[in-house]
Amino acid sequence: MSQDSTLLSATLTSASFLVLLQLFSRLFTFILNQALVRLVSPQVFGTAAIQFELLLSTILFLSREGIRNALLRAPTSTKDSGKKDDGESAGAGALVTNISLLPVLLGIPTSILATLVYLRTASASTTSQPHFHLAVAIYALAAFCELLSEPLYIRAQNELRFDVRVRAEGAAVALKTVVAFAVLVALPAEWALVAFALGQAAYGLTTLVSFLRAYRGRSLFWPRKVETRVHGNTKAMYFDPALLHLSAEMTAQSVVKHFLTEGDKFLVSRLSPLADQGGYAIASNYGSLVARILFQPIEETARVFFSKTLSSASANSRDALQMASTILLALLLLFTHLLLLLVTFAPPYLSLGVSLLLPPRYLNTSAPAILQTYIYYIPAMAFNGVLEAFFASVAAPSDLRVQSRWMVAFSMGFVAAAVAAARGLGMGDSGLVWANVINLLLRASYAWRFVLRFFRERNAGEMVSWRKAAPPMPVLVAFAMSALVTRWSQAMYRDVPLRLNAQLGHVGIGMMCLIGCLATCIVFERTTFRHMYTVLRRR
């Protein structure tokens, strides 16, 4: 098999593994969350799921995200070379290993600083909860424990050993939810925050132990000097200069990107009471369930694939460009169909779904209104994720600096729009999500312009266009007709109780419309699907 074929095969295997991992972990978490939200108050759930998770993601994202993305461009190692001892590794591999240790070193000051800032800025109603400071300390330690596994995570990614990550994260998610649930059941309600913190600590420890077991404990935590030959001369260095520079650029950009990604949680934690934070958290968990199961693995594997396929050595190869454009357009076409499905079928059936899923005490929070906005937030997240994955895979440091300046502008616009929507227009927490939708679409548009320029500069502009990512007209008509029929059905059942047995006719109409839309897609898009399947199979 050629190198491109091997890479695509490994990437598709990675996508399958990660989708299965996300399916298992999210459904497992979803089932236990259904029990957890009935054991704790919205105030406790909001603190743990919004504020503590924001602290955790801040530590992890700022410490590792830029370095992760930069090191995806490092040469791919084989499994055999991955089994060698670090002392026997080639010089280039050792320089990459040294950079992979930086998240551990950055994690120490980041954990301390982020924790101190959070404790200083948390509201009195938050800090007055029982055992609050103990829970915060456990979360910070859990974050650093997870960072200790980062060098081995990066090593597994570059060796395309995705099974290692799947086993580690699958076990970690299971233990996290079981530990949190067990502590909540065993201890009094005042220990609820500590229960969530212990669950996160179990996640971090399990991840670290799993990676250490996979590599038999062979991990370094401090960079070592490496001798390399440059133009016939031996030179001692710690880091590969190009990769280190790229890591620094991406890490600097991650500060702005993190705020844009988690900006809604920042604002919710500052603008909303604790009960509404709990409603926002449960709506976010339910609303993004499909996104996390499907889109997160696709985004991560797309970043790996584009980074390896369009490396500097092969970026001008016609075959590499054709393969990259085919994969990119296939993903965009998939997300376009998702947008059509959500916009057509979600609004008429959301009220029934909310009444069945949400505990009664959450129906009076902001959760129902927020779930309505996720109909549009999920597709925006999908489009932005894959387009920014392409950008991060091939952008030069100069491109990253320009994007960072635009992201600063986007973040300022996001804050203004979010505050105006939440306060000025009276939209509450759902206004924050609408502001995020606009922010994601702007970022996706910027990345799409970069995609077009990237292919044009390589005389391959004809390979990418929005028309190739849009369904044919008969499919659009089928979805439009289904939208009219399901909304007519919703109006007919408006005064019927929101119970499944009472709404069976409405649900049946929706199922028939869905089958009709899927059949139309099969009939009018079978040539497109067959072409994509042939390209992938040939590779």
Coordinates of all heavy atoms in Angstrom, one line a residue, residues 208-217:
L208 N -4.0 8.6 32.8 CA -2.5 8.5 33.0 C -2.1 7.0 33.1 O -1.1 6.6 32.5 CB -2.1 9.3 34.3 CG -0.6 9.2 34.6 CD1 0.3 9.7 33.5 CD2 -0.4 10.0 35.9
V209 N -2.7 6.3 34.0 CA -2.4 4.9 34.2 C -2.5 4.1 32.9 O -1.7 3.2 32.6 CB -3.2 4.2 35.3 CG1 -3.0 2.7 35.4 CG2 -2.8 4.9 36.6
S210 N -3.6 4.3 32.1 CA -3.8 3.6 30.9 C -2.7 3.8 29.9 O -2.2 2.9 29.2 CB -5.1 4.0 30.3 OG -6.2 3.6 31.1
F211 N -2.2 5.1 29.7 CA -1.2 5.4 28.8 C 0.2 4.8 29.3 O 1.0 4.3 28.5 CB -1.1 6.9 28.6 CG -2.0 7.4 27.5 CD1 -3.1 8.1 27.8 CD2 -1.7 7.3 26.2 CE1 -4.0 8.6 26.9 CE2 -2.5 7.7 25.2 CZ -3.7 8.4 25.5
L212 N 0.4 4.9 30.6 CA 1.6 4.3 31.1 C 1.7 2.8 30.9 O 2.7 2.2 30.6 CB 1.8 4.7 32.6 CG 2.1 6.1 32.9 CD1 2.1 6.3 34.4 CD2 3.5 6.5 32.4
R213 N 0.5 2.1 31.1 CA 0.5 0.7 30.8 C 0.7 0.4 29.4 O 1.4 -0.6 29.0 CB -0.9 0.1 31.3 CG -1.1 0.1 32.8 CD -2.4 -0.6 33.1 NE -2.4 -2.0 32.6 CZ -3.5 -2.7 32.6 NH1 -4.6 -2.3 33.1 NH2 -3.4 -4.0 32.1
A214 N 0.2 1.2 28.5 CA 0.3 0.9 27.0 C 1.8 1.1 26.6 O 2.2 0.3 25.7 CB -0.6 1.9 26.2
Y215 N 2.5 2.0 27.2 CA 3.9 2.2 26.9 C 4.9 1.6 28.0 O 6.0 2.0 28.0 CB 4.2 3.6 26.6 CG 3.7 4.1 25.3 CD1 2.4 4.7 25.1 CD2 4.4 3.8 24.1 CE1 2.0 5.1 23.9 CE2 3.9 4.2 22.9 CZ 2.7 4.9 22.8 OH 2.2 5.2 21.5
R216 N 4.3 0.8 28.9 CA 5.1 0.1 29.9 C 5.9 1.1 30.8 O 7.0 0.9 31.1 CB 6.0 -0.9 29.3 CG 5.3 -2.0 28.5 CD 6.2 -3.0 27.9 NE 5.4 -4.0 27.1 CZ 6.0 -5.0 26.4 NH1 7.3 -5.1 26.4 NH2 5.2 -5.8 25.8
G217 N 5.3 2.3 31.0 CA 5.9 3.2 31.9 C 7.0 4.0 31.4 O 7.7 4.8 32.1

